[in-house]
Amino acid sequence: MALCGILAAAKGEPLVSKAGDRAIIPGWHLQSATRVKDDMSELSLPGFNTTHWYRVESRGTVMAGLIENGIYNDTHLFFSDNMGNIGDKEIFRAPWLYREEFTMNPLDGQYFNLITHGITSKADIYVNGERIASKEEQQGSFGGHTYNLTSQVQSGNNCILIRVYPTNYDRDFAQSFEDWNPHPRIMEQGSGAMLNWFPKLDDKEQVNVTLKTNLVNRAPRPIRVTLNGTIEPPNHDEPTRFIRDFHLMPGEERTASVRVGINNPEIWWPASWGPQSLYSVHATIFYDDSGETSDVSRTQQFGIRSASSYVNVHNDTAFTVNGYPFKVMGAGYGPDIFLRYDENRVRTILQYMLDMGLNTIPGWECCTKWEGWKHNEDGHGYLWQESDYSVARDSMLHEAEMMQPHPSMLGFLVGSDSWPNDRATEVYLKALKEMDWRNPIIASASKRGYPEALGPSGMKMDGPYDWVPPNYWYGDDKGAAFGFGSELGAGVGTPVMESLKRFMADDDLKTLWSKPEEGLYHMSSKESSFNTRSIYNKGLFSRYGKPINLEDYVLKCQMADYEATRAQFEAYSAHQNASRTATGLVYWMLNSAWPNLHWQLFDYYLSPMGSYFGTKVGSRMEHVAYDYGNEDIWLINHSIDSKGDRQVSVDLIDMNGKKVSSSRIKTQTSPTSSKQLQSVSGLEKIKDPAFLRLILEDGKGKHVISRNVYWLSSKPDILDWSNSTWYSTPVTEYADYTKMHSLKSASVKVKITSSNSKTQDGWTSRNIELENKSPVPAVFVNLNAIDSQGNVIAPVYWSDNYITLWPHEKINLSVQFEGNLTSWSVNILGRNVKKQSVKGG
């Protein structure tokens, strides 16, 4: 259930009362249809006793509502396999009812609308005893509709009742998770009020904005109205004003278009390139004959920027933003398993993306009913019927209406694994055109086919989804670093120890490290290829050695996950202007819908882990990276303005800290480019694992831009490309890091000091100095901020983590987290560094 809008009036006051008022239904009484009589007309009359119904918030699913009322507890549900014990209850196979009463005081000449933003999977809607929409009209998770309630609204108490039907993912246009996790027993329902502007920017030096909105005359007579509005600039200078008159016949609906010139426009930039300058438009409609207010629009923001895409000579899609090549560095977003929405949580997820250096957050629906077309041999949804095209049209109109004004929208893919048939394509394109969609429209996220109206997608979906070694990404096949990888990754994302213990029982934890091929409930569903960690564990055990306990297993996992994500993002970055350009990638995935064991860069409890910091290093704006394939050094620059002299230090040492080779390179960098510098010397001399440190500095050597340490084996991972599957490529011989168990112990001194950097009020910010006091490297040192209760602090923002220090090396880090704590500490633990705790102060 998801109702969007502004807060309702106080109890007893009208929900809306004057022109332009918009309100959400403030909350609902929720009950299973099995527990009330089957008379929706009577149930939707004001005054019905709902004492024994559940009271829920204005937005949420059935399960979210039951959790809210204490019927279920998500801590319990997520622990071990508890969620599997509730899936077959009869109560979840029947419809559920959402009911709410509210006060209204309608006046003559006033008109009222109910606007829904999608109901999963479908619903009947009743107001004051009358059905205003059936499940045939109101269906689809993304199907928004407007219903005229003018004749139903009455003075005094009013009632709205929504009967929501359970979802069948193969038959309904619903929000599903495919095989990412167990299918939740969910229902979602929503409505609210919204009037959107649709800005269109002309491609000229003098920027003109065309604003569009829909006007409807519900009066029985012709009317003349005046649209009077302003555009507020980002810098709060004098607003630009506009005024237009319109004549409307009785019942006429018209799209009003207003063209407004913007002087000295401020450009909207992706976060990594500049400020997100936003203009605000607001307008009021007046009756021209009386000057009375007819309607007031909500304030709508928009940005001035250009976004486009093209398919290059290699049949690969590439994007540009504001005229610059925009290399997509993203990861796929996953909503909460019960579709609960927590604004603070989403804000943290977006902040984590920025912290990792990512610039794109895709979200999509795939497979199931959405791709039920005859040409889709891999699909399992029922084929589309006549009525489905109407649902698809409504869904596209609604989604485009909500997203069109946002400058952050890069493009719309109308298919995921498969492309839409010609009729569906026509429906989608017509709806997008109607909403004046100006961004790229792409057929699908794969190269399996395309409709003629759209042409090739230019995106590959060739895997991997399960573990591959770092040198995979420097290959020339499948998901390696060329073209646009729409969803791919090494299947990593092992939670930290503290998180694992929150959702796994002792027996589950033992299975995790001691039975490497066993199926695990917190992986994908049993029917999925990803129900086990067998491919991952084979690589882990072969490369790092069989774990001796859970702690050893988790530490080795973090090392494997770190090198996996770092290599993926570095390879795609290094090849950003190769002969066959790596134009973008979307890591599979960003986050998890519930506590799980793979496909995430931070865990469900928002604790960063090895995969997070591997991504953060590999996605740095300016960077220096090691090519696992050619043993070369790459200089990487993702910025649009950084250029000039640079220095690169390349140092190779053995496990005992003895120097194998060392060199210094003077070079130059250019915006949005990468180049090979030289090969690493001395690699032929190593026998046991060795460590490579790359440091990028400015031209004068006074400022460290990037620091990067690798552990390298004398033998490489050998891939069997010819036997690749859609989800992985076999490895016939593995790199050998097993001798790391014999690393000599290192002693690391930790010093915590106050920070001069600006932080938000109520936040803690500290500098942390790490000094290796030993003649040997301190390997893979992990730092955790701990509160006074002994819990790991999350969310948390480290400048770097999982650090490997050279003998006697000293480096400085920073940490920030919400909460002005006076009693906290930092725990550190490394591959060859004993655990210690230092008070934070």
Side-chain angles (χ1 to χ4, degrees):
M1 176 204 69
L3 295 192
C4 304
I6 60 174
L7 290 177
K11 187 175 181 179
E13 297 182 8
L15 190 64
V16 292
S17 59
K18 62 182 183 298
D21 276 0
R22 290 165 178 80
I24 64 168
I25 304 300
W28 299 94
H29 290 92
L30 172 70
Q31 188 54 272
S32 169
T34 63
R35 296 179 178 175
V36 295
K37 56 185 176 181
D38 189 21
D39 188 340
M40 299 301 108
S41 295
E42 182 177 344
L43 290 173
S44 63
L45 291 173
F48 182 81
N49 186 355
T50 56
T51 302
H52 299 294
W53 293 38
Y54 306 109
R55 185 62 182 171
V56 298
E57 295 180 355
S58 62
R59 174 176 179 153
T61 61
V62 167
M63 181 58 78
L66 296 178
I67 291 173
E68 184 181 346
N69 281 269
I71 305 304
Y72 294 102
N73 177 285
D74 57 0
T75 300
H76 172 78
L77 287 175
F78 292 159
F79 189 76
S80 189
D81 62 354
N82 290 342
M83 188 128 80
N85 298 323
I86 66 168
D88 293 327
K89 288 195 173 182
E90 186 66 30
I91 198 170
F92 291 106
R93 298 194 187 103
W96 281 72
L97 307 179
Y98 289 82
R99 186 184 186 280
E100 179 65 337
E101 294 191 19
F102 53 93
T103 300
M104 294 291 287
N105 185 23
L107 303 176
D108 290 343
Q110 288 187 327
Y111 299 89
F112 302 91
N113 288 330
L114 172 69
I115 301 178
T116 64
H117 289 310
I119 298 178
T120 295
S121 63
K122 49 197 167 190
D124 303 316
I125 304 175
Y126 294 79
V127 174
N128 294 338
E130 182 179 346
R131 192 180 74 179
I132 65 167
S134 70
K135 63 179 182 295
E136 284 72 33
E137 301 167 86
Q138 180 61 62
Q139 61 174 288
S141 294
F142 308 101
H145 293 270
T146 299
Y147 302 105
N148 185 350
L149 299 188
T150 304
S151 62
Q152 285 81 23
V153 169
Q154 60 191 26
S155 293
N157 289 339
N158 291 256
C159 177
I160 179 171
L161 175 74
I162 302 183
R163 175 166 56 183
V164 181
Y165 292 84
T167 297
N168 181 314
Y169 293 104
D170 289 335
R171 294 182 181 272
D172 303 325
F173 291 106
Q175 170 80 58
S176 76
F177 295 88
E178 192 53 12
D179 63 353
W180 310 341
N181 40 253
H183 281 167
R185 302 297 182 188
I186 59 174
M187 300 172 191
E188 181 187 15
Q189 172 258 323
S191 67
M194 180 174 64
L195 174 64
N196 264 1
W197 290 98
F198 305 104
K200 168 188 171 185
L201 309 180
D202 293 351
D203 297 324
K204 298 179 180 179
E205 290 185 9
Q206 172 64 45
V207 175
N208 292 298
V209 179
T210 300
L211 303 171
K212 294 183 178 181
T213 191
N214 295 323
L215 300 180
V216 181
N217 178 14
R218 299 196 184 281
R221 58 181 176 81
I223 60 172
R224 179 182 177 186
V225 295
T226 299
L227 185 65
N228 194 331
T230 59
I231 297 178
E232 305 279 349
N235 56 15
H236 304 295
D237 283 350
E238 188 69 21
T240 300
R241 302 185 182 278
F242 59 88
I243 185 169
R244 297 290 188 277
D245 292 337
F246 296 92
H247 293 270
L248 297 172
M249 298 302 291
E252 181 181 359
E253 296 185 20
R254 180 195 301 184
T255 298
S257 181
V258 180
R259 193 170 187 235
V260 184
I262 301 291
N263 295 320
N264 303 314
E266 295 191 43
I267 304 301
W268 183 96
W269 294 94
S272 57
W273 285 353
Q276 289 74 64
S277 300
L278 294 174
Y279 289 78
S280 299
V281 58
H282 180 79
T284 301
I285 303 171
F286 298 98
Y287 289 110
D288 193 57
D289 55 354
S290 65
E292 181 185 353
T293 299
S294 173
D295 198 8
V296 180
S297 77
R298 70 184 182 94
T299 299
Q300 178 70 62
Q301 292 185 311
F302 67 91
I304 297 176
R305 65 95 177 95
S306 65
S308 61
S309 70
Y310 62 94
V311 177
N312 63 24
V313 295
H314 300 290
N315 193 25
D316 299 327
T317 284
F319 290 92
T320 61
V321 174
N322 294 338
Y324 291 93
F326 182 76
K327 181 181 179 63
V328 169
M329 301 278 280
Y333 172 80
D336 176 79
I337 193 170
F338 301 131
L339 301 187
R340 293 172 292 183
Y341 179 79
D342 182 332
E343 185 174 330
N344 290 329
R345 182 180 179 86
V346 173
R347 183 181 293 109
T348 296
I349 290 173
L350 296 176
Q351 188 60 50
Y352 270 174
M353 285 202 67
L354 294 176
D355 186 57
M356 286 185 284
L358 303 183
N359 60 23
T360 307
I361 180 167
W364 55 71
E365 181 59 49
C366 90
C367 315
T368 60
K369 176 66 176 183
W370 293 98
E371 297 186 349
W373 300 302
K374 289 183 179 180
H375 63 259
N376 183 11
E377 297 178 356
D378 296 328
H380 52 80
Y382 284 84
L383 295 180
W384 283 31
Q385 304 299 313
E386 186 67 27
S387 61
D388 294 325
Y389 292 93
S390 176
V391 177
R393 175 185 179 275
D394 293 340
S395 299
M396 182 60 80
L397 283 171
H398 184 256
E399 289 298 292
E401 181 183 28
M402 290 197 298
M403 293 189 290
Q404 194 271 356
H406 294 277
S408 58
M409 291 297 148
L410 185 62
F412 205 122
L413 278 66
V414 294
S416 177
D417 298 35
S418 185
W419 67 100
N421 65 20
D422 289 343
R423 184 178 175 188
T425 300
E426 182 182 4
V427 167
Y428 287 150
L429 292 181
K430 186 176 180 180
L432 286 164
K433 182 179 180 180
E434 187 174 334
M435 288 298 132
D436 210 9
W437 184 264
R438 310 297 294 178
N439 296 323
I441 304 170
I442 297 172
S444 71
S446 72
K447 292 185 177 182
R448 298 170 185 171
Y450 56 87
E452 185 177 349
L454 286 172
S457 73
M459 294 185 173
K460 64 178 181 178
M461 191 187 282
D462 297 329
Y465 295 87
D466 212 326
W467 183 83
V468 290
N471 62 345
Y472 171 98
W473 304 104
Y474 290 91
D476 58 4
D477 200 356
K478 298 296 181 180
F482 59 86
F484 193 106
S486 62
E487 53 176 60
L488 69 175
V492 302
T494 309
V496 297
M497 180 68 74
E498 293 79 7
S499 295
L500 287 171
K501 292 181 177 180
R502 293 178 68 172
F503 68 91
M504 297 186 75
D506 290 343
D507 288 346
D508 299 331
L509 291 171
K510 185 175 181 180
T511 297
L512 181 64
W513 70 271
S514 65
K515 297 180 181 179
E517 297 187 2
E518 191 86 4
L520 297 161
Y521 186 72
H522 285 267
M523 293 288 285
S524 298
S525 61
K526 288 184 178 180
E527 298 77 17
S528 169
S529 301
F530 311 104
N531 181 240
T532 77
R533 286 166 66 97
S534 57
I535 295 176
Y536 176 93
N537 283 335
K538 185 176 180 181
L540 185 78
F541 286 33
S542 300
R543 299 168 89 244
Y544 287 95
K546 186 177 180 180
I548 59 175
N549 54 36
L550 177 62
E551 289 74 15
D552 186 44
Y553 177 78
V554 172
L555 180 58
K556 288 173 177 174
C557 286
Q558 300 306 326
M559 293 190 77
D561 293 3
Y562 182 101
E563 63 169 353
T565 54
R566 177 178 60 179
Q568 179 176 348
F569 283 95
E570 284 183 341
Y572 270 82
S573 298
H575 293 172
Q576 66 177 315
N577 52 0
S579 56
R580 185 172 181 183
T581 305
T583 58
L585 79 155
V586 176
Y587 182 80
W588 190 256
M589 297 177 65
L590 172 66
N591 64 305
S592 56
W594 75 315
N596 71 14
L597 296 167
H598 66 159
W599 289 348
Q600 56 193 343
L601 298 178
F602 47 89
D603 66 37
Y604 183 80
Y605 307 105
L606 300 178
S607 288
M609 44 203 184
S611 54
Y612 181 105
F613 291 103
T615 299
K616 181 168 181 171
V617 169
S619 303
R620 285 174 177 157
M621 187 64 64
E622 280 196 68
H623 190 45
V624 60
Y626 171 71
D627 183 332
Y628 283 91
N630 296 321
E631 300 179 347
D632 290 335
I633 304 300
W634 286 87
L635 181 66
I636 298 165
N637 188 341
H638 289 298
S639 76
I640 59 173
D641 51 12
S642 295
K643 59 184 178 180
D645 296 335
R646 297 292 186 267
Q647 293 186 32
V648 178
S649 301
V650 183
D651 298 291
L652 183 67
I653 62 174
D654 64 18
M655 286 175 53
N656 296 315
K658 181 180 178 181
K659 183 174 77 173
V660 178
S661 68
S662 181
S663 62
R664 301 292 180 268
I665 307 167
K666 290 188 176 182
T667 186
Q668 288 191 324
T669 190
S670 301
T672 63
S673 67
S674 300
K675 66 179 181 181
Q676 289 173 282
L677 298 180
Q678 67 176 41
S679 296
V680 178
S681 61
L683 289 177
E684 72 283 355
K685 299 178 183 179
I686 67 173
K687 295 181 180 179
D688 298 328
F691 299 93
L692 173 67
R693 183 183 64 182
L694 307 178
I695 297 179
L696 174 64
E697 299 175 293
D698 62 11
K700 296 181 180 180
K702 294 184 178 180
H703 172 61
V704 174
I705 299 172
S706 175
R707 179 185 179 278
N708 201 2
V709 175
Y710 301 80
W711 43 99
L712 303 177
S713 170
S714 59
K715 53 181 291 190
D717 295 287
I718 307 297
L719 290 134
D720 182 7
W721 292 96
S722 62
N723 284 312
S724 296
T725 64
W726 62 271
Y727 54 85
S728 191
T729 295
V731 178
T732 57
E733 295 183 40
Y734 293 91
D736 186 3
Y737 301 120
T738 57
K739 290 189 178 180
M740 279 192 186
H741 75 274
S742 61
L743 279 165
K744 296 179 181 177
S745 295
S747 175
V748 175
K749 181 181 178 181
V750 183
K751 182 180 179 181
I752 302 175
T753 59
S754 298
S755 172
N756 294 324
S757 62
K758 293 183 178 180
T759 58
Q760 304 175 50
D761 292 340
W763 280 60
T764 296
S765 179
R766 295 290 186 272
N767 291 328
I768 298 177
E769 180 186 270
L770 297 181
E771 182 180 3
N772 183 5
K773 308 290 288 186
S774 311
V776 296
V779 178
F780 209 62
V781 179
N782 173 226
L783 299 90
N784 278 312
I786 308 296
D787 65 20
S788 59
Q789 306 300 313
N791 301 312
V792 174
I793 296 172
V796 63
Y797 302 90
W798 293 93
S799 59
D800 202 357
N801 212 322
Y802 294 103
I803 309 294
T804 296
L805 292 90
W806 246 228
H808 303 294
E809 184 181 20
K810 183 187 297 184
I811 66 171
N812 291 298
L813 309 174
S814 66
V815 63
Q816 295 181 1
F817 53 84
E818 189 172 5
N820 191 6
L821 303 187
T822 57
S823 179
W824 65 284
S825 60
V826 173
N827 286 355
I828 72 166
L829 174 68
R831 193 73 175 81
N832 61 334
V833 177
K834 292 183 179 180
K835 184 176 180 179
Q836 61 174 297
S837 182
V838 179
K839 290 185 178 181

